Amino acid sequence: KLLIKDLKVDEVPLRIYQPKWPPTGKRRGILYFHGGAGTFGSIRAFERVCRYIAKKCNSVVVSVGYRLAPEHPYPGQYFDCLNATLYFMRNLEEYHVDPALIIISGDSCGANFATVICQILLNKRDLPKVRAQVLLYPGLQGLDFHLPSYQQNASVPMLFRKLVIYFCFRYLNKEPSVLEDVLQSCHVPESMKRKYKKWISADIIPDEFKIRGYVPQKPTSYKPEVHEAIKEILAITFSPLLAEDSIICQLPESYIVTCEFDVLRDDGLLYKKRLEDNGVQVTWYHSESGFHGILAFFGYGIFSFLSGKKIMDNTVNYINSL
């Protein structure tokens, strides 16, 4: 039912899925950035997700095989995703895509890339405006690893709390020698903690997400050498949740999926609140039994999860409503 084409843009592999039947009008165009902590994952691993979206939404889906760290150094992943997006936006005619219906999406770190790309594109006046961002269990900040979801789901597969920080180091090609200090937030200067408390804090998380056991973090002291070792995770590219309100208020309508059993759950909840506080329309879907990375199993028969199917169907319904 699909025409599938592989090509390369500036050394970055893309796989483009188009419905075989001729378009009756202009189609939606969807960019998809896959998850994998920026260090693993591939177009092939998310083949089933992209096929499903292309068929069910009668859309052109561009799956981006950005090059992986640490072999391809950070922040190259963002440039790969941006270049792929620019290529697609400049060739919409070829794919019969409506310039008013471009959606930027991704899961996990791919949702982080999608968030950053949407923020970057605000400055590009010569391109069509993005219609919506679709963020599936996004990771959006490296400031606080003590949020309720980090505590509650510290040992829940597939993404343990320590593993998040290990992947941050691997992604940035750093030695994970100060991992424990980062866990305790010793990498964040006091001035930064104060500045961003209004956006990143357990106090902002709704009470129903604290029931499963949450203990407020005891204050820890800032260690300049730890900050120096890993300061990149506090940059806007890595932590788009820290973008100023002047940027957030311009962002397109958003769809956010969070999973209950996911260390990154609260990143999604905090971003939802920030967008809403800035007047951006948000559609939110919370998977009560979902866990991080559940979509990697989507479409694999007995190995797939009902919660994953529900996330996909809800996402398809949202896209079709645009």
Side-chain angles (χ1 to χ4, degrees), residues 90-149:
R90 288 169 181 153
N91 291 278
L92 298 177
E93 279 294 312
E94 186 185 333
Y95 299 104
H96 304 290
V97 166
D98 185 341
L101 285 175
I102 293 170
I103 295 154
I104 296 189
S105 66
D107 68 283
S108 190
C109 76
N112 173 296
F113 301 160
T115 306
V116 173
I117 299 304
C118 281
Q119 293 182 3
I120 291 172
L121 289 175
L122 295 174
N123 299 322
K124 301 209 176 283
R125 304 277 178 233
D126 56 325
L127 294 169
K129 277 184 76 163
V130 175
R131 176 68 181 85
Q133 53 178 356
V134 169
L135 311 175
L136 310 173
Y137 40 78
L140 300 170
Q141 58 87 29
L143 191 94
D144 187 346
F145 298 104
H146 267 272
L147 293 167
S149 61

Tab-separated table of all heavy atoms in Angstrom, residues 90-149:
chain	number	residue	atom	x	y	z
A	90	ARG	N	11.495	22.197	1.404
A	90	ARG	CA	11.781	22.864	0.124
A	90	ARG	C	11.369	22.016	-1.078
A	90	ARG	O	11.496	22.455	-2.221
A	90	ARG	CB	13.267	23.219	0.052
A	90	ARG	CG	13.630	24.373	0.979
A	90	ARG	CD	15.113	24.569	1.136
A	90	ARG	NE	15.387	25.682	2.049
A	90	ARG	CZ	16.484	25.807	2.781
A	90	ARG	NH1	17.438	24.883	2.701
A	90	ARG	NH2	16.661	26.839	3.586
A	91	ASN	N	10.909	20.793	-0.817
A	91	ASN	CA	10.512	19.900	-1.925
A	91	ASN	C	9.103	19.349	-1.737
A	91	ASN	O	8.807	18.223	-2.143
A	91	ASN	CB	11.514	18.742	-2.046
A	91	ASN	CG	12.874	19.220	-2.528
A	91	ASN	OD1	13.103	19.396	-3.715
A	91	ASN	ND2	13.777	19.460	-1.591
A	92	LEU	N	8.238	20.136	-1.137
A	92	LEU	CA	6.881	19.656	-0.826
A	92	LEU	C	6.089	19.325	-2.088
A	92	LEU	O	5.308	18.380	-2.107
A	92	LEU	CB	6.123	20.703	0.004
A	92	LEU	CG	6.730	21.021	1.381
A	92	LEU	CD1	5.938	22.124	2.062
A	92	LEU	CD2	6.755	19.777	2.262
A	93	GLU	N	6.309	20.119	-3.152
A	93	GLU	CA	5.569	19.910	-4.411
A	93	GLU	C	5.756	18.487	-4.922
A	93	GLU	O	4.812	17.818	-5.325
A	93	GLU	CB	6.066	20.897	-5.483
A	93	GLU	CG	5.475	22.284	-5.365
A	93	GLU	CD	3.971	22.303	-5.644
A	93	GLU	OE1	3.555	21.719	-6.674
A	93	GLU	OE2	3.218	22.867	-4.833
A	94	GLU	N	7.021	18.053	-4.871
A	94	GLU	CA	7.368	16.717	-5.390
A	94	GLU	C	6.571	15.609	-4.682
A	94	GLU	O	6.268	14.579	-5.273
A	94	GLU	CB	8.873	16.494	-5.172
A	94	GLU	CG	9.395	15.221	-5.788
A	94	GLU	CD	10.860	14.983	-5.435
A	94	GLU	OE1	11.591	15.966	-5.184
A	94	GLU	OE2	11.252	13.803	-5.412
A	95	TYR	N	6.252	15.847	-3.405
A	95	TYR	CA	5.560	14.814	-2.616
A	95	TYR	C	4.066	15.114	-2.422
A	95	TYR	O	3.402	14.437	-1.643
A	95	TYR	CB	6.258	14.677	-1.251
A	95	TYR	CG	7.705	14.251	-1.378
A	95	TYR	CD1	8.737	15.176	-1.193
A	95	TYR	CD2	8.044	12.943	-1.732
A	95	TYR	CE1	10.067	14.794	-1.338
A	95	TYR	CE2	9.366	12.561	-1.874
A	95	TYR	CZ	10.373	13.490	-1.682
A	95	TYR	OH	11.693	13.104	-1.828
A	96	HIS	N	3.563	16.106	-3.142
A	96	HIS	CA	2.135	16.498	-3.046
A	96	HIS	C	1.730	16.802	-1.601
A	96	HIS	O	0.679	16.358	-1.139
A	96	HIS	CB	1.226	15.395	-3.617
A	96	HIS	CG	1.550	15.016	-5.021
A	96	HIS	ND1	1.316	15.858	-6.099
A	96	HIS	CD2	2.149	13.911	-5.528
A	96	HIS	CE1	1.733	15.273	-7.210
A	96	HIS	NE2	2.250	14.100	-6.897
A	97	VAL	N	2.598	17.520	-0.905
A	97	VAL	CA	2.327	17.836	0.512
A	97	VAL	C	1.841	19.271	0.645
A	97	VAL	O	2.382	20.186	0.018
A	97	VAL	CB	3.594	17.605	1.371
A	97	VAL	CG1	3.447	18.239	2.751
A	97	VAL	CG2	3.867	16.109	1.507
A	98	ASP	N	0.822	19.442	1.466
A	98	ASP	CA	0.257	20.754	1.756
A	98	ASP	C	1.206	21.508	2.704
A	98	ASP	O	1.462	21.043	3.818
A	98	ASP	CB	-1.108	20.566	2.432
A	98	ASP	CG	-1.827	21.887	2.650
A	98	ASP	OD1	-1.173	22.942	2.631
A	98	ASP	OD2	-3.061	21.856	2.857
A	99	PRO	N	1.741	22.666	2.298
A	99	PRO	CA	2.666	23.395	3.169
A	99	PRO	C	2.030	23.828	4.498
A	99	PRO	O	2.739	24.143	5.455
A	99	PRO	CB	3.088	24.615	2.345
A	99	PRO	CG	2.284	24.595	1.099
A	99	PRO	CD	1.553	23.310	0.986
A	100	ALA	N	0.707	23.824	4.556
A	100	ALA	CA	0.024	24.201	5.808
A	100	ALA	C	-0.152	23.009	6.743
A	100	ALA	O	-0.710	23.145	7.830
A	100	ALA	CB	-1.327	24.820	5.497
A	101	LEU	N	0.320	21.831	6.301
A	101	LEU	CA	0.106	20.615	7.110
A	101	LEU	C	1.414	19.842	7.331
A	101	LEU	O	1.500	18.642	7.062
A	101	LEU	CB	-0.932	19.704	6.438
A	101	LEU	CG	-2.398	20.159	6.547
A	101	LEU	CD1	-3.297	19.251	5.742
A	101	LEU	CD2	-2.857	20.200	8.000
A	102	ILE	N	2.418	20.535	7.839
A	102	ILE	CA	3.689	19.870	8.145
A	102	ILE	C	3.744	19.600	9.649
A	102	ILE	O	3.526	20.492	10.471
A	102	ILE	CB	4.880	20.733	7.710
A	102	ILE	CG1	4.894	20.827	6.178
A	102	ILE	CG2	6.195	20.124	8.202
A	102	ILE	CD1	5.856	21.830	5.645
A	103	ILE	N	4.039	18.355	9.989
A	103	ILE	CA	4.072	17.929	11.393
A	103	ILE	C	5.482	17.420	11.695
A	103	ILE	O	6.044	16.638	10.909
A	103	ILE	CB	3.025	16.819	11.623
A	103	ILE	CG1	1.623	17.396	11.400
A	103	ILE	CG2	3.141	16.221	13.014
A	103	ILE	CD1	0.602	16.380	10.983
A	104	ILE	N	6.035	17.855	12.808
A	104	ILE	CA	7.376	17.399	13.205
A	104	ILE	C	7.220	16.533	14.440
A	104	ILE	O	6.624	16.953	15.437
A	104	ILE	CB	8.299	18.606	13.443
A	104	ILE	CG1	8.463	19.344	12.111
A	104	ILE	CG2	9.635	18.158	14.009
A	104	ILE	CD1	9.501	20.422	12.086
A	105	SER	N	7.735	15.303	14.353
A	105	SER	CA	7.448	14.331	15.419
A	105	SER	C	8.670	13.502	15.764
A	105	SER	O	9.654	13.469	15.027
A	105	SER	CB	6.312	13.400	14.968
A	105	SER	OG	6.748	12.599	13.876
A	106	GLY	N	8.568	12.798	16.897
A	106	GLY	CA	9.630	11.886	17.294
A	106	GLY	C	9.307	11.275	18.642
A	106	GLY	O	8.380	11.702	19.328
A	107	ASP	N	10.085	10.236	18.996
A	107	ASP	CA	9.898	9.606	20.301
A	107	ASP	C	11.207	9.679	21.082
A	107	ASP	O	12.293	9.637	20.505
A	107	ASP	CB	9.463	8.138	20.141
A	107	ASP	CG	10.569	7.279	19.550
A	107	ASP	OD1	10.802	7.344	18.329
A	107	ASP	OD2	11.233	6.548	20.318
A	108	SER	N	11.085	9.836	22.408
A	108	SER	CA	12.236	9.857	23.312
A	108	SER	C	13.210	10.971	22.915
A	108	SER	O	12.813	12.131	22.824
A	108	SER	CB	12.887	8.474	23.334
A	108	SER	OG	13.854	8.394	24.349
A	109	CYS	N	14.484	10.630	22.605
A	109	CYS	CA	15.405	11.705	22.219
A	109	CYS	C	15.000	12.281	20.861
A	109	CYS	O	15.295	13.442	20.563
A	109	CYS	CB	16.848	11.213	22.179
A	109	CYS	SG	17.219	10.228	20.739
A	110	GLY	N	14.302	11.481	20.033
A	110	GLY	CA	13.786	12.000	18.762
A	110	GLY	C	12.754	13.090	18.993
A	110	GLY	O	12.635	14.043	18.209
A	111	ALA	N	12.001	12.972	20.099
A	111	ALA	CA	11.032	14.020	20.463
A	111	ALA	C	11.779	15.264	20.944
A	111	ALA	O	11.316	16.392	20.751
A	111	ALA	CB	10.084	13.508	21.541
A	112	ASN	N	12.935	15.055	21.580
A	112	ASN	CA	13.796	16.187	21.954
A	112	ASN	C	14.247	16.914	20.682
A	112	ASN	O	14.156	18.146	20.590
A	112	ASN	CB	14.999	15.656	22.746
A	112	ASN	CG	16.055	16.718	23.043
A	112	ASN	OD1	16.674	17.258	22.137
A	112	ASN	ND2	16.276	17.003	24.314
A	113	PHE	N	14.702	16.142	19.682
A	113	PHE	CA	15.140	16.758	18.425
A	113	PHE	C	13.980	17.529	17.775
A	113	PHE	O	14.164	18.636	17.277
A	113	PHE	CB	15.675	15.706	17.442
A	113	PHE	CG	16.845	14.905	17.958
A	113	PHE	CD1	17.166	13.674	17.387
A	113	PHE	CD2	17.632	15.367	18.996
A	113	PHE	CE1	18.244	12.931	17.849
A	113	PHE	CE2	18.717	14.634	19.472
A	113	PHE	CZ	19.019	13.406	18.899
A	114	ALA	N	12.794	16.917	17.785
A	114	ALA	CA	11.621	17.563	17.179
A	114	ALA	C	11.319	18.894	17.876
A	114	ALA	O	11.011	19.898	17.232
A	114	ALA	CB	10.409	16.631	17.272
A	115	THR	N	11.438	18.891	19.213
A	115	THR	CA	11.191	20.106	19.997
A	115	THR	C	12.175	21.199	19.612
A	115	THR	O	11.799	22.356	19.377
A	115	THR	CB	11.346	19.791	21.510
A	115	THR	OG1	10.505	18.688	21.836
A	115	THR	CG2	10.958	20.975	22.365
A	116	VAL	N	13.452	20.831	19.534
A	116	VAL	CA	14.498	21.809	19.209
A	116	VAL	C	14.327	22.324	17.783
A	116	VAL	O	14.443	23.533	17.530
A	116	VAL	CB	15.901	21.197	19.419
A	116	VAL	CG1	16.996	22.142	18.931
A	116	VAL	CG2	16.118	20.856	20.888
A	117	ILE	N	14.033	21.423	16.837
A	117	ILE	CA	13.856	21.842	15.435
A	117	ILE	C	12.701	22.832	15.323
A	117	ILE	O	12.795	23.848	14.623
A	117	ILE	CB	13.631	20.620	14.507
A	117	ILE	CG1	14.834	19.666	14.528
A	117	ILE	CG2	13.314	21.060	13.082
A	117	ILE	CD1	16.172	20.251	14.177
A	118	CYS	N	11.606	22.567	16.036
A	118	CYS	CA	10.460	23.504	16.015
A	118	CYS	C	10.869	24.873	16.552
A	118	CYS	O	10.439	25.907	16.034
A	118	CYS	CB	9.295	22.955	16.835
A	118	CYS	SG	8.349	21.700	15.958
A	119	GLN	N	11.724	24.880	17.580
A	119	GLN	CA	12.187	26.161	18.133
A	119	GLN	C	13.102	26.886	17.141
A	119	GLN	O	12.996	28.099	16.949
A	119	GLN	CB	12.906	25.931	19.469
A	119	GLN	CG	11.965	25.436	20.580
A	119	GLN	CD	12.660	25.246	21.931
A	119	GLN	OE1	13.838	25.526	22.086
A	119	GLN	NE2	11.916	24.750	22.913
A	120	ILE	N	13.992	26.127	16.477
A	120	ILE	CA	14.917	26.729	15.502
A	120	ILE	C	14.152	27.319	14.313
A	120	ILE	O	14.467	28.408	13.822
A	120	ILE	CB	15.941	25.679	14.996
A	120	ILE	CG1	16.916	25.303	16.118
A	120	ILE	CG2	16.713	26.199	13.780
A	120	ILE	CD1	17.834	24.130	15.779
A	121	LEU	N	13.120	26.597	13.856
A	121	LEU	CA	12.396	27.011	12.644
A	121	LEU	C	11.625	28.308	12.829
A	121	LEU	O	11.228	28.939	11.845
A	121	LEU	CB	11.436	25.896	12.194
A	121	LEU	CG	12.088	24.638	11.611
A	121	LEU	CD1	11.041	23.579	11.324
A	121	LEU	CD2	12.878	24.956	10.344
A	122	LEU	N	11.418	28.721	14.070
A	122	LEU	CA	10.702	29.986	14.302
A	122	LEU	C	11.434	31.155	13.661
A	122	LEU	O	10.821	32.158	13.295
A	122	LEU	CB	10.550	30.243	15.817
A	122	LEU	CG	9.678	29.238	16.586
A	122	LEU	CD1	9.735	29.529	18.087
A	122	LEU	CD2	8.234	29.271	16.098
A	123	ASN	N	12.760	31.032	13.501
A	123	ASN	CA	13.547	32.128	12.909
A	123	ASN	C	13.581	32.088	11.384
A	123	ASN	O	14.116	32.988	10.764
A	123	ASN	CB	15.001	32.072	13.424
A	123	ASN	CG	15.063	32.244	14.927
A	123	ASN	OD1	14.290	33.033	15.470
A	123	ASN	ND2	15.936	31.510	15.589
A	124	LYS	N	13.069	31.012	10.808
A	124	LYS	CA	13.186	30.852	9.353
A	124	LYS	C	11.888	31.301	8.686
A	124	LYS	O	10.964	30.516	8.494
A	124	LYS	CB	13.529	29.405	8.997
A	124	LYS	CG	14.840	28.959	9.636
A	124	LYS	CD	15.539	27.910	8.818
A	124	LYS	CE	16.879	27.531	9.397
A	124	LYS	NZ	17.933	28.501	9.152
A	125	ARG	N	11.846	32.567	8.346
A	125	ARG	CA	10.604	33.162	7.820
A	125	ARG	C	10.290	32.713	6.393
A	125	ARG	O	9.176	32.880	5.921
A	125	ARG	CB	10.718	34.701	7.848
A	125	ARG	CG	11.024	35.271	9.225
A	125	ARG	CD	9.765	35.407	10.055
A	125	ARG	NE	10.062	35.904	11.389
A	125	ARG	CZ	9.663	35.307	12.507
A	125	ARG	NH1	8.990	34.178	12.447
A	125	ARG	NH2	9.927	35.815	13.689
A	126	ASP	N	11.308	32.181	5.693
A	126	ASP	CA	11.104	31.825	4.280
A	126	ASP	C	10.486	30.437	4.114
A	126	ASP	O	10.260	29.987	2.996
A	126	ASP	CB	12.450	31.865	3.543
A	126	ASP	CG	13.490	30.954	4.191
A	126	ASP	OD1	13.474	30.833	5.441
A	126	ASP	OD2	14.310	30.359	3.469
A	127	LEU	N	10.217	29.749	5.222
A	127	LEU	CA	9.697	28.375	5.143
A	127	LEU	C	8.257	28.326	5.645
A	127	LEU	O	7.829	29.195	6.409
A	127	LEU	CB	10.555	27.445	6.008
A	127	LEU	CG	11.996	27.249	5.542
A	127	LEU	CD1	12.800	26.540	6.615
A	127	LEU	CD2	12.044	26.459	4.241
A	128	PRO	N	7.517	27.283	5.252
A	128	PRO	CA	6.153	27.152	5.783
A	128	PRO	C	6.180	27.015	7.302
A	128	PRO	O	7.144	26.500	7.868
A	128	PRO	CB	5.647	25.851	5.145
A	128	PRO	CG	6.589	25.514	4.065
A	128	PRO	CD	7.886	26.183	4.352
A	129	LYS	N	5.117	27.467	7.951
A	129	LYS	CA	5.020	27.315	9.406
A	129	LYS	C	4.656	25.877	9.738
A	129	LYS	O	3.842	25.265	9.037
A	129	LYS	CB	3.938	28.244	9.970
A	129	LYS	CG	4.435	29.665	10.189
A	129	LYS	CD	3.372	30.525	10.840
A	129	LYS	CE	3.254	30.212	12.320
A	129	LYS	NZ	2.546	31.276	13.058
A	130	VAL	N	5.255	25.345	10.789
A	130	VAL	CA	4.934	23.971	11.211
A	130	VAL	C	3.514	23.964	11.785
A	130	VAL	O	3.146	24.829	12.580
A	130	VAL	CB	5.949	23.493	12.277
A	130	VAL	CG1	5.571	22.123	12.811
A	130	VAL	CG2	7.354	23.471	11.685
A	131	ARG	N	2.729	22.990	11.364
A	131	ARG	CA	1.334	22.910	11.834
A	131	ARG	C	1.244	22.366	13.253
A	131	ARG	O	0.423	22.830	14.058
A	131	ARG	CB	0.541	21.991	10.876
A	131	ARG	CG	-0.907	21.729	11.265
A	131	ARG	CD	-1.749	22.992	11.141
A	131	ARG	NE	-3.128	22.759	11.543
A	131	ARG	CZ	-3.595	22.816	12.790
A	131	ARG	NH1	-2.753	23.087	13.773
A	131	ARG	NH2	-4.865	22.614	13.058
A	132	ALA	N	2.080	21.351	13.577
A	132	ALA	CA	2.019	20.759	14.921
A	132	ALA	C	3.313	20.028	15.233
A	132	ALA	O	4.020	19.576	14.323
A	132	ALA	CB	0.844	19.791	15.017
A	133	GLN	N	3.614	19.908	16.528
A	133	GLN	CA	4.707	19.031	16.961
A	133	GLN	C	4.083	17.868	17.725
A	133	GLN	O	3.188	18.053	18.548
A	133	GLN	CB	5.746	19.782	17.794
A	133	GLN	CG	5.234	20.563	18.978
A	133	GLN	CD	6.345	21.246	19.775
A	133	GLN	OE1	7.530	21.085	19.505
A	133	GLN	NE2	5.954	22.011	20.782
A	134	VAL	N	4.561	16.662	17.411
A	134	VAL	CA	4.043	15.433	18.029
A	134	VAL	C	5.191	14.805	18.811
A	134	VAL	O	6.170	14.327	18.222
A	134	VAL	CB	3.495	14.474	16.950
A	134	VAL	CG1	3.209	13.099	17.523
A	134	VAL	CG2	2.226	15.059	16.322
A	135	LEU	N	5.086	14.836	20.142
A	135	LEU	CA	6.199	14.431	21.009
A	135	LEU	C	5.798	13.213	21.835
A	135	LEU	O	4.923	13.296	22.701
A	135	LEU	CB	6.566	15.600	21.940
A	135	LEU	CG	6.752	16.971	21.250
A	135	LEU	CD1	6.991	18.068	22.282
A	135	LEU	CD2	7.877	16.926	20.224
A	136	LEU	N	6.432	12.086	21.540
A	136	LEU	CA	6.091	10.826	22.211
A	136	LEU	C	7.132	10.556	23.300
A	136	LEU	O	8.316	10.430	23.015
A	136	LEU	CB	6.067	9.686	21.192
A	136	LEU	CG	5.233	9.986	19.925
A	136	LEU	CD1	5.407	8.878	18.896
A	136	LEU	CD2	3.765	10.171	20.266
A	137	TYR	N	6.694	10.517	24.523
A	137	TYR	CA	7.529	10.420	25.741
A	137	TYR	C	8.891	11.120	25.596
A	137	TYR	O	9.947	10.500	25.612
A	137	TYR	CB	7.680	8.978	26.256
A	137	TYR	CG	7.872	7.853	25.246
A	137	TYR	CD1	9.104	7.620	24.636
A	137	TYR	CD2	6.826	6.971	24.947
A	137	TYR	CE1	9.295	6.575	23.753
A	137	TYR	CE2	7.003	5.912	24.061
A	137	TYR	CZ	8.241	5.731	23.465
A	137	TYR	OH	8.429	4.687	22.598
A	138	PRO	N	8.840	12.474	25.490
A	138	PRO	CA	10.084	13.214	25.244
A	138	PRO	C	10.973	13.340	26.475
A	138	PRO	O	10.497	13.378	27.607
A	138	PRO	CB	9.558	14.607	24.847
A	138	PRO	CG	8.249	14.734	25.573
A	138	PRO	CD	7.658	13.344	25.580
A	139	GLY	N	12.284	13.426	26.232
A	139	GLY	CA	13.261	13.821	27.256
A	139	GLY	C	13.692	15.238	26.927
A	139	GLY	O	14.177	15.486	25.825
A	140	LEU	N	13.496	16.173	27.860
A	140	LEU	CA	13.628	17.583	27.492
A	140	LEU	C	14.526	18.409	28.397
A	140	LEU	O	14.654	19.609	28.209
A	140	LEU	CB	12.223	18.232	27.463
A	140	LEU	CG	11.236	17.617	26.468
A	140	LEU	CD1	9.835	18.158	26.703
A	140	LEU	CD2	11.671	17.881	25.042
A	141	GLN	N	15.137	17.779	29.424
A	141	GLN	CA	15.980	18.592	30.303
A	141	GLN	C	17.013	17.735	31.028
A	141	GLN	O	16.774	16.574	31.332
A	141	GLN	CB	15.109	19.354	31.316
A	141	GLN	CG	14.216	18.497	32.207
A	141	GLN	CD	14.894	18.004	33.480
A	141	GLN	OE1	15.804	18.660	34.001
A	141	GLN	NE2	14.460	16.864	33.990
A	142	GLY	N	18.179	18.362	31.299
A	142	GLY	CA	19.249	17.684	32.034
A	142	GLY	C	19.569	18.402	33.326
A	142	GLY	O	20.690	18.352	33.816
A	143	LEU	N	18.561	19.090	33.857
A	143	LEU	CA	18.766	19.916	35.052
A	143	LEU	C	18.470	19.151	36.336
A	143	LEU	O	19.214	19.220	37.302
A	143	LEU	CB	17.847	21.143	34.955
A	143	LEU	CG	18.082	22.257	35.956
A	143	LEU	CD1	19.013	23.307	35.357
A	143	LEU	CD2	16.761	22.942	36.330
A	144	ASP	N	17.354	18.394	36.333
A	144	ASP	CA	16.860	17.779	37.570
A	144	ASP	C	16.530	16.307	37.337
A	144	ASP	O	15.572	15.983	36.631
A	144	ASP	CB	15.610	18.536	38.043
A	144	ASP	CG	15.124	18.067	39.413
A	144	ASP	OD1	15.571	17.006	39.880
A	144	ASP	OD2	14.276	18.768	40.007
A	145	PHE	N	17.320	15.432	37.949
A	145	PHE	CA	17.082	13.987	37.832
A	145	PHE	C	16.433	13.439	39.103
A	145	PHE	O	16.522	12.252	39.394
A	145	PHE	CB	18.394	13.259	37.526
A	145	PHE	CG	19.004	13.683	36.212
A	145	PHE	CD1	20.106	14.542	36.165
A	145	PHE	CD2	18.464	13.247	35.011
A	145	PHE	CE1	20.660	14.941	34.957
A	145	PHE	CE2	19.008	13.637	33.792
A	145	PHE	CZ	20.108	14.486	33.761
A	146	HIS	N	15.770	14.357	39.857
A	146	HIS	CA	15.087	13.962	41.088
A	146	HIS	C	13.593	14.216	41.027
A	146	HIS	O	12.921	14.154	42.052
A	146	HIS	CB	15.673	14.710	42.295
A	146	HIS	CG	16.764	13.942	42.969
A	146	HIS	ND1	16.529	13.019	43.962
A	146	HIS	CD2	18.097	13.933	42.756
A	146	HIS	CE1	17.678	12.483	44.335
A	146	HIS	NE2	18.646	13.022	43.621
A	147	LEU	N	13.083	14.507	39.857
A	147	LEU	CA	11.640	14.712	39.717
A	147	LEU	C	10.916	13.426	40.125
A	147	LEU	O	11.518	12.339	40.095
A	147	LEU	CB	11.304	15.079	38.269
A	147	LEU	CG	11.842	16.439	37.794
A	147	LEU	CD1	11.733	16.551	36.283
A	147	LEU	CD2	11.109	17.586	38.468
A	148	PRO	N	9.638	13.515	40.494
A	148	PRO	CA	8.927	12.310	40.954
A	148	PRO	C	9.081	11.106	40.017
A	148	PRO	O	9.325	9.993	40.472
A	148	PRO	CB	7.473	12.779	41.034
A	148	PRO	CG	7.578	14.230	41.361
A	148	PRO	CD	8.805	14.721	40.651
A	149	SER	N	8.975	11.332	38.699
A	149	SER	CA	9.056	10.184	37.775
A	149	SER	C	10.434	9.535	37.804
A	149	SER	O	10.561	8.321	37.623
A	149	SER	CB	8.704	10.606	36.345
A	149	SER	OG	9.599	11.588	35.869
